């Protein structure tokens, strides 16, 4: 929940974040930072990386579909 709230806070004011390399990198870095805080050995670094990539792909896809954050219709 905390990660979602933070993502929404960061993405909401951004205009078409999925189209801009810098904002995509910021969102991806936030996800990686948060996922890598998960405890080891419960999650291995490889699992964390995979999880972060899946989360980023989901957030990106939802944003492109207009259902998440700054790429939503009416946000431009």
């Amino acid at each position: 929940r905390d990660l979602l709230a933070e993502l929404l806070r960061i993405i909401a004011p951004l205009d078409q974040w999925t189209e801009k390399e810098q904002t995509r990198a910021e969102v991806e870095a936030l996800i990686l930072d948060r996922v890598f805080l998960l405890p080891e050995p419960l999650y291995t670094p490889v699992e964390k990386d995979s999880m972060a990539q899946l989360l980023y792909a989901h957030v990106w896809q939802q944003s492109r579909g207009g259902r998440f954050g700054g790429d939503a219709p009416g946000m431009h």
Side-chain angles (χ1 to χ4, degrees), residues 26 28-38 52:
E26 289 174 22
E28 187 171 21
L30 172 66
I31 291 171
L32 283 168
D33 288 349
R34 295 300 178 262
V35 168
F36 272 85
L37 290 175
L38 294 171

Side-chain angles (χ1 to χ4, degrees), residues 46-62:
V46 171
E47 290 171 322
K48 290 178 183 183
D49 187 57
S50 179
M51 187 183 316
Q53 295 304 318
L54 288 171
L55 283 168
Y56 176 80
H58 176 74
V59 169
W60 186 88
Q61 188 175 45
Q62 292 298 304

Side-chain angles (χ1 to χ4, degrees), residues 2-52:
D2 293 339
L3 176 58
L4 177 59
E6 193 165 355
L7 284 168
L8 286 171
R9 182 182 59 78
I10 288 171
I11 291 172
L14 301 176
D15 182 34
Q16 298 179 342
W17 75 269
T18 59
E19 301 295 323
K20 299 172 185 164
E21 186 175 337
Q22 181 178 348
T23 53
R24 288 193 315 261
E26 289 174 22
V27 171
E28 187 171 21
L30 172 66
I31 291 171
L32 283 168
D33 288 349
R34 295 300 178 262
V35 168
F36 272 85
L37 290 175
L38 294 171
E40 290 184 24
L42 186 58
Y43 298 100
T44 68
V46 171
E47 290 171 322
K48 290 178 183 183
D49 187 57
S50 179
M51 187 183 316

